[in-house]
Amino acid sequence: MATLTKNEIKITTCETSKINSIDFSNLAFGQVFSDHMLTCDFKDGKWQSPEIVPYGPLTLEPSAKIFHYGQSIFEGMKAYKDANDNVFLFRPMDNIKRLNISAKRLAIPELPEAYFMEGLKALLDLDKDWIPTAEGSSLYIRPFIFASGEGFHASPANAYKFIIATAPSGAYFSGKVKVLIEEKYSRSANGGVGFAKAGGNYAGQFYPTQLAKDKGYQQVIWTDDTSHEYIEEAGAMNVFVRINDTLLTSPVSDRILDGITRKSILELAEAEGIKTEVRKVKVSELVEAAKNGSLKEMFGAGTAAVISPISGFGFRGEDFEIPEQDNSFGLQLKERIVAIQTNKTEDPYGWRMKV
Amino acid sequence: MATLTKNEIKITTCETSKINSIDFSNLAFGQVFSDHMLTCDFKDGKWQSPEIVPYGPLTLEPSAKIFHYGQSIFEGMKAYKDANDNVFLFRPMDNIKRLNISAKRLAIPELPEAYFMEGLKALLDLDKDWIPTAEGSSLYIRPFIFASGEGFHASPANAYKFIIATAPSGAYFSGKVKVLIEEKYSRSANGGVGFAKAGGNYAGQFYPTQLAKDKGYQQVIWTDDTSHEYIEEAGAMNVFVRINDTLLTSPVSDRILDGITRKSILELAEAEGIKTEVRKVKVSELVEAAKNGSLKEMFGAGTAAVISPISGFGFRGEDFEIPEQDNSFGLQLKERIVAIQTNKTEDPYGWRMKV
């Protein structure tokens, strides 16, 4: 794999920064974009040198395969700034490794890790002022790769674009969500691409999610496509269930994303003395626990929201509420993880990376 | 739904045609593109008027949702020219209806049928000279819709582009292909988007297909993701099996595309006195038939290749050859369908549409 240091990256800066036009006190999630982006082309059989250029439009042929065959993958990350203006990433090597796991499954050429990491460092150096500091906010980082090569033939492209764009962002979700346990539509197949952060995994969720919204829910709990007996993910997040004082989550599989927040939560819970079990969780078990009062919490876990608390679920026309907890594991673990991410506490795990 | 006639479509022609630079005697499939394309934008809550413009690059923001969430669908069609320069389409209304079925599942706003049909007619009028006439060639037509709206939030876009591009093309496949029956990877989930022509369905096939190619096969036979006991599709085509003198194909489902070539073959076979059965076909039945000599033919069926004959299959390390047939159903039905498509015979079905 190619090597590179951030100082070797060619930088073309924008003529005027648009930072003063942004209301940092009122940021939505992923709606405004920083001044620059990293771009890197795959062509002639290899990844070319990454460059930093002003954030701006891409030009593609109508026959570019991204428009036709869904050959695209992405990652989600965040950068945080502490009180001393130090910039931090959270477990970035895990994103890089997962991007390449996704790349392999989608027949996209794997990216040299240094191109990603050094490119990102150089980009954050340049757009450091774009990292918001208000509670709950962060610079959302979106690395993605898509097929730019041409042709109306369903086969892998011969050219790709890797881009890192960044967006100063407020919190992803606000408030608790009510979820619907989905028994008809599915997110992923056995032997499919559900474990990858492939674009197509998300588009397929929009319609069932809209149907759930029409019924008064905000999200869908995906179940396995074979039996619909087991819960697998919550919207585009991993899902956790607390029954009495045990925190449960499904094992990762070829259908379930190996979430970085998910595995961080499992480790932190352990350290906090919270009992965890990684095992398949039956819908029937959830319903039973809701009925007998042992279902204490449910939450989604992912980079964007960190933890997204669930207030209740619908199943076969019946609604089950989850009562508010005084000692919420979700809140406790979210505080722990955010404190580590934002350099407000020790990081015994080596997860935080100073840029 | 909005109405429109082809004469109402705004046309901007290219300054110089590139048609003279194209070697029409040596056309690949979907590699060169005609002078113009139809474009139509969805914004402000509705599909705007379609326009014809010179075929050329598209400009999109890096945050356009197509790059991140795979929200895209397409169709494949062909235009043919007969000896008198008349132009024909084959069952185009079925493509339009299927595009909107795909649109619904992918949470893309449905397109007014007239925008598609009248737009396509106007485009073919203008680029009529691009329709090749050599045996097996056609003007391949690629209608597609993708999410152009922006934002790093996994939700449906608020803007889309519908485009029809065309490509003078030779035959899609040449020769017979050897296929591998896939038992690990899958194409689609129960309750997923397999029945839709969604971009993501194709990207997920590339890696398993490459693995099959590395083993000496050209294509994959997809099986159901739950049990892998039933054959479902052949690469990006529907699959037919002839056992003795009965032609079998799987019923369509939420995992299997409702192919226009597939259903045309079923109807034509009936008319030709070929017995057909639409039912699930077990891999074990295929292996048994190959062993006892009753497996006479296998072929893929789809718009691009029409019929793609299969010479044999691999299953669990064993290869099974399918002997050459004197009275090939596949060839017979391909001749019939192509004769109807190209106006060389009567069309009792009303499938052919003169443009």
Side-chain angles (χ1 to χ4, degrees), chain A residues 7 35 45 60 71 75 79 88 112 124 154 159 174 210 214 229 268 277 283 285 296 303 313:
Chain A
N7 298 325
D35 282 332
L60 289 161
Q71 214 186 354
E75 280 295 321
F88 299 95
L124 291 175
S174 50
Q210 188 53 53
D214 293 345
E229 280 183 37
L268 285 174
E277 279 181 31
V283 177
E285 183 180 359
K296 305 293 187 190
T303 294
F313 66 89

Side-chain angles (χ1 to χ4, degrees), chain B residues 22-296:
Chain B
I22 308 299
D23 179 4
F24 273 73
S25 66
N26 192 19
L27 290 169
F29 191 92
Q31 299 286 347
V32 297
F33 309 101
S34 313
D35 282 332
H36 300 92
M37 62 184 184
L38 184 85
T39 74
C40 183
D41 284 334
F42 181 92
K43 60 180 181 184
D44 302 330
K46 73 183 190 89
W47 285 104
Q48 309 294 315
S49 297
E51 284 185 35
I52 289 174
V53 297
Y55 179 89
L58 307 173
T59 299
L60 290 161
E61 291 297 313
S63 63
K65 292 200 177 190
I66 179 61
F67 298 128
H68 306 275
Y69 304 122
Q71 214 186 354
S72 72
I73 55 174
F74 70 94
E75 280 295 321
M77 311 167 72
K78 286 175 172 175
Y80 311 86
K81 207 188 263 180
D82 72 5
N84 299 318
D85 258 15
N86 296 306
V87 175
F88 299 96
L89 294 166
F90 185 70
R91 311 186 77 170
M93 292 312 297
D94 291 0
N95 292 99
I96 296 175
K97 289 187 190 315
R98 189 172 61 187
L99 185 77
N100 275 336
I101 289 170
S102 299
K104 188 175 175 192
R105 182 62 183 86
L106 276 293
I108 291 171
E110 291 174 51
L111 183 78
E113 292 185 355
Y115 285 21
F116 186 127
M117 196 63 228
E118 299 303 310
L120 177 55
K121 284 181 186 169
L123 183 64
L124 292 175
D125 278 357
L126 188 64
D127 282 345
K128 192 175 176 177
D129 293 343
W130 285 87
I131 307 173
T133 50
E135 190 77 26
S137 68
S138 61
L139 186 72
Y140 183 73
I141 298 166
R142 173 55 62 88
F144 60 108
I145 304 179
F146 65 87
S148 54
E150 300 169 46
F152 294 154
H153 196 290
S155 58
N158 62 2
Y160 298 84
K161 273 190 186 295
F162 168 60
I163 292 177
I164 304 181
T166 66
S169 295
Y172 192 78
F173 285 120
S174 49
K176 289 198 166 191
V177 297
K178 206 172 123 191
V179 298
L180 179 66
I181 295 181
E182 180 60 55
E183 292 193 289
K184 179 179 176 189
Y185 297 104
S186 303
R187 185 185 162 277
S188 62
N190 302 297
V193 303
F195 68 97
K197 282 191 85 76
N201 287 335
Y202 296 80
Q205 301 188 33
F206 295 165
Y207 176 67
T209 303
Q210 188 54 53
L211 294 180
K213 284 182 176 168
D214 293 345
K215 290 178 192 158
Y217 303 91
Q218 287 87 51
Q219 268 299 353
V220 161
I221 298 290
W222 299 106
T223 56
D224 68 289
D225 85 302
T226 302
S227 70
H228 296 294
E229 280 184 37
Y230 299 94
I231 64 168
E232 301 213 316
E233 293 204 14
M237 294 178 284
N238 293 113
V239 60
F240 282 81
V241 173
R242 173 183 172 187
I243 294 183
N244 289 320
D245 284 337
T246 302
L247 200 54
L248 306 171
T249 194
S250 178
V252 295
S253 71
D254 58 0
R255 294 186 310 274
I256 299 180
L257 188 80
D258 186 5
I260 295 166
T261 308
R262 174 189 171 280
K263 65 184 180 186
S264 304
I265 285 171
L266 286 171
E267 243 184 286
L268 286 174
E270 203 72 17
E272 300 270 300
I274 294 168
K275 193 179 163 210
T276 62
E277 279 181 30
V278 177
R279 64 165 172 84
K280 293 165 93 177
V281 179
K282 278 202 164 182
V283 177
S284 59
E285 184 180 358
L286 206 61
V287 170
E288 185 58 32
K291 283 182 175 165
N292 69 26
S294 61
L295 178 63
K296 305 292 187 189

